[in-house]
Every structure is written in C-alpha cells, then in structure tokens.
Amino acid sequence: VIRCRAAVAWAVGKPLSIEQVEVAPPKAGEVRIKIVATGICHTDEHILKGCFPNVEFPVIPGHEGAGIVESVGEGVTSVKPGDKVIPLCLPQCGECSFCLNPESNFCQKSHLSEPQNLLPDKTTRFTCKGKQIHHFLWVSTFAEYTVVPEYAVAKIDPAAPLDKVCLLGCGFPTGYGAAINTAKVKPGSTCAIFGLGGVGLSVVMGCKAAGASRIIAVDINKDKFAKAKELGATDCISPQDCKKPIQEVLTEMTGQGVDYSFEAIGHAETMIAALASCNMNTGICVMVGVMDSGSEISLDPMLLLAGRTWKGSALGGWKMRDCIPKLVSSYLEKKFNSDLLITHTLPFAKVNEGFELLRAGKSIRSVLLF
Ligand code: COD
Ligand code: ZN
C-alpha cells in the first residue's frame, strides 16, 4: 500500500480537498501508475457540480494525466515498471465488438455501458480516513498514484515530456480527432467551431491540419480569440455582438453555411445553432460537448431533411490504446503543438485555483504537477 496525496471530492458542490490516501497494490490485470502531471478539463468541473449522477461520491476526479508505471499486477505484459504511460479515460479492451470494428472507438468497457466508479472487480484501490473512495472513469489522475486496468493504459515514447503530453489523455485528441476522424474535414473547406476551450481550440487545430481554408471560431468570451487566431482561426465572432442569430450570420458569411460545424460547449442552444450553421445539403455537424445528463434537445427535423448530417464524437474517434502512442510520436515530431493550449502550470496543491481559473474563463488548460 502506498500513502500519498490525492484531491478528493467528498460531495457534490464541495471544493476538492487534498488528502492523504492509501492506494492498494494492483491486482491481476491492473497497473499502478505514479502520476507526474494532470490537466484540468471542463468534464472534471461537471463532476464536481454533480452533472453526471452515475458518478459516485466520494471520488478522486481527473482524467487527463501522464505518469510512470510503478508496479504491475499478475499477468500484465504490455507495460512494466518505469514505462511512461497515459492512463486512458476511454479504454480499449480489444475484445468487444466495438473494439474489433475498425470504424468505432467507444469500447464496451467504457462508462456508457457500465459504471467506472469501481475497478472491473467491483472494488476500489483508494481509501481515505477509513472510507472507500471511488475511482473516476477508472483513471483518477488527481492522485499521486492510481490503479487502472491494463487495457486502460497506453505506453508512450520515453522521450515524451509528461508535463506536456498529459493533454493527449483527453482535451487535445477529443477536439483534434473530431475534425480529422469524425468530420473528416477536406482541404479547402469551411468550418465553424462553437466554444474555444481546450477542446474547441483543438478542433481549430484539427481543421487547420486538415487544410480547411476558412475556420470561423465562435465564443462569447472574446479573450479566447487571440489564441484561436494563433492556432489557425481565420475569423472570430461573439454571438453577443450579432444582431441576428449566429446561424444566420454564419450562413451569410459563407453563402450556404459552413461545410463542417462543431459544438464544444455542451448546451442545447449552441448544439442547434451549430447544426443550423452547416450547409443544409452536405453539411456535417459534430457534437463534441456533452450536456448535463438527463437533458434533451428538441429539434425541427426539417434541419436534416435536405441531407445535413449530425454526428457525435467521443475522444475524437481515436481507438485510444492504438492511437495515443502514435499521437505522442506526432507531437515529438512537431506535427502539432498542443503546448499552446497550456496557459497555466501549477503545483498540485493549487488544484482549486486551477478550477477557479477555468470557471473565470482565464485558462485554456492548467497543468498540475505533483
Ligand atoms: N456560446 C459560445 N461560447 C460559449 C457559450 C455560448 N453560449 N457558452 C460557453 N461558451 C464558451 C466558453 O466561453 C468557453 O470558452 C468554452 O465555451 C468552453 O470551454 P471550457 O474551457 O470551459 O471547456 P473544455 O474545452 O475544457 O471542454 C468543453 C467540453 C464541452 C468538451 C466538455 O465540457 C465536455 O462536454 N466534455 C465531454 C465531452 C467529451 O467527450 N469529453 C471527453 C472526456 S472529457
Ligand atoms: Zn476531458
């Protein structure tokens, strides 16, 4: 058993509290990882607010981390102590029908099929003050040591800087892959991205990498525009500055609407606006943001009648265990620069300050260092 620090969410609406926790050794098929760095993603904030009722408290959140294998359980062959790894918030078991299908990435061992509040054997490896603490998406990266199933770990290049590639655990691949894999943006096309957080800005980078000629970035916080331009946006618009609905503005700007639109906020109104902003015949709208669980959208089916496509994208469509190591290699070859998303680097003890920066719209990504 290792005693170390972790940020525990004891109840909905409470700030995280840094605690001394006990982390049990990995059982068969599990890996214990020393987390070196972790990003703060808006999904962690959703968890603290209680937006996903299937997440059980007390819980150790965090799902965008990178670290080093400390020990492995019986039967683990793909990683060994000392390997640099990224824990995967979307596993790849390699055996379910979704893993076996080359077209899909959403493994059946993920939280949409079964809760990931406990490890697969239905027990937790975390305790604190005599209480059992839940895992989050099996990865719980807000802990100095965490235990995950082997099929939720990707071994990465030993040259990778962990304080930078932690973003490749969630935000960057989610947005970048939504453009490259889900929308399959074509060279010379027009794109609109709603929401310029870490995820939306990664969509901007994906559209640019795919050769889009016009990339229109939409956010109500104009402080995000400078970064969006730096990453490839050609136009930036705040819906609050427009006299007409944003979908009409985008349609006028592009003639018939953009070829590809993306929603990276998680609100019903912006999902409908993004859908209506793409060309009614051939436009593709990709939903990346997730709404509070239980909420619904009402939609005029006429929006789809002429041929528009409305799609969802989770973790950018990447099969995580296969693709994250390749993305790390592309990062090292400087094929993209996800470092530009990191606005703050803080010691782990300042985790709540990191959340304050996110809530105030002052950060893109804060990286916490242990
Ligand atoms: N119109 C335009 N922009 C808006 C509006 C609005 N009405 N409301 C908010 N925004 C902007 C904010 O100003 C902000 O810039 C941006 O939207 C949101 O950015 P962040 O930094 O708060 O959030 P991200 O980028 O970290 O995450 C956003 C998601 C929506 C992707 C995230 O919250 C989410 O839903 N995640 C689940 C989706 C997923 O697959 N995640 C992978 C595991 S997390
Ligand atoms: Zn995330």
Side-chain angles (χ1 to χ4, degrees):
V1 174
I2 292 178
R3 276 178 192 77
C4 66
R5 284 173 307 155
V8 178
W10 288 102
V12 169
K14 296 263 157 54
L16 287 163
S17 100
I18 305 260
E19 307 280 3
Q20 163 109 324
V21 299
E22 295 85 39
V23 185
K27 292 190 185 174
E30 297 175 354
V31 179
R32 187 158 61 182
I33 302 167
K34 179 176 170 48
I35 298 290
V36 172
T38 179
I40 300 177
C41 171
H42 206 124
T43 300
D44 298 309
E45 165 73 352
H46 285 315
I47 298 308
L48 300 185
K49 288 197 302 194
C51 302
F52 302 119
N54 58 346
V55 170
E56 288 178 71
F57 287 75
V59 61
I60 299 176
H63 62 281
E64 196 178 75
I68 297 169
V69 174
E70 177 272 336
S71 60
V72 299
E74 200 190 311
V76 170
T77 53
S78 60
V79 293
K80 57 179 190 313
D83 283 348
K84 283 191 182 173
V85 291
I86 291 183
L88 306 174
C89 55
L90 177 60
Q92 186 185 342
C93 76
E95 288 168 1
C96 70
S97 60
F98 292 154
C99 281
L100 292 172
N101 181 346
E103 301 287 315
S104 58
N105 77 319
F106 215 89
C107 173
Q108 277 176 19
K109 294 222 159 47
S110 66
H111 66 287
L112 288 189
S113 312
E114 53 175 294
Q116 290 174 292
N117 303 315
L118 297 170
L119 290 185
D121 76 342
K122 308 289 177 216
T123 61
T124 172
R125 302 293 160 271
F126 296 121
T127 49
C128 177
K129 298 176 181 160
K131 288 207 175 71
Q132 308 265 305
I133 310 294
H134 293 96
H135 295 247
F136 172 54
L137 298 179
W138 286 342
V139 291
S140 293
T141 59
F142 292 170
E144 219 169 331
Y145 287 85
T146 192
V147 178
V148 303
E150 182 181 15
Y151 50 76
V153 181
K155 180 176 165 174
I156 58 169
D157 190 314
L162 298 177
D163 58 334
K164 302 290 192 292
V165 298
C166 55
L167 265 52
L168 274 57
C170 172
F172 179 75
T174 296
Y176 196 74
I180 306 260
N181 301 326
T182 313
K184 299 191 168 53
V185 169
K186 290 192 188 126
S189 60
T190 54
C191 302
I193 297 93
F194 287 69
L196 303 174
V199 176
L201 288 170
S202 301
V203 178
V204 170
M205 291 169 86
C207 294
K208 165 105 178 153
S213 59
R214 197 159 184 201
I215 302 173
I216 307 171
V218 179
D219 202 298
I220 48 176
N221 180 353
K222 292 197 212 173
D223 293 344
K224 307 275 175 137
F225 291 173
K227 184 68 82 176
K229 289 228 159 113
E230 186 186 348
L231 296 175
T234 54
D235 310 71
C236 295
I237 310 176
S238 166
Q240 292 173 338
D241 288 349
C242 301
K243 294 206 175 67
K244 294 179 185 169
I246 184 73
Q247 52 269 44
E248 287 178 32
V249 175
L250 291 169
T251 304
E252 275 173 22
M253 280 172 79
T254 52
Q256 296 116 347
V258 294
D259 297 311
Y260 307 96
S261 57
F262 301 86
E263 204 274 6
I265 305 164
H267 293 167
E269 322 80 72
T270 41
M271 287 194 183
I272 296 295
L275 179 61
S277 299
C278 71
N279 179 313
M280 68 178 200
N281 280 282
T282 54
I284 296 177
C285 174
V286 180
M287 189 182 83
V288 185
V290 172
M291 298 189 354
D292 292 356
S293 83
S295 38
E296 293 180 353
I297 291 187
S298 79
L299 168 86
D300 177 356
M302 284 302 285
L303 280 169
L304 300 176
L305 187 80
R308 271 192 184 96
T309 305
W310 195 18
K311 306 179 88 171
S313 176
L315 270 304
W318 306 101
K319 281 191 188 290
M320 297 288 275
R321 259 183 116 189
D322 295 344
C323 297
I324 297 305
K326 291 180 191 157
L327 273 178
V328 169
S329 302
S330 300
Y331 167 88
L332 291 170
E333 289 159 17
K334 300 199 187 317
K335 294 205 174 129
F336 55 80
N337 186 1
S338 48
D339 297 357
L340 296 171
L341 302 171
I342 303 173
T343 50
H344 299 78
T345 302
L346 302 167
F348 179 64
K350 293 196 173 171
V351 57
N352 284 314
E353 205 171 294
F355 276 89
E356 285 306 325
L357 288 163
L358 175 73
R359 288 180 199 123
K362 291 193 176 132
S363 59
I364 303 296
R365 273 300 191 260
S366 295
V367 170
L368 305 171
L369 299 180
F370 282 94

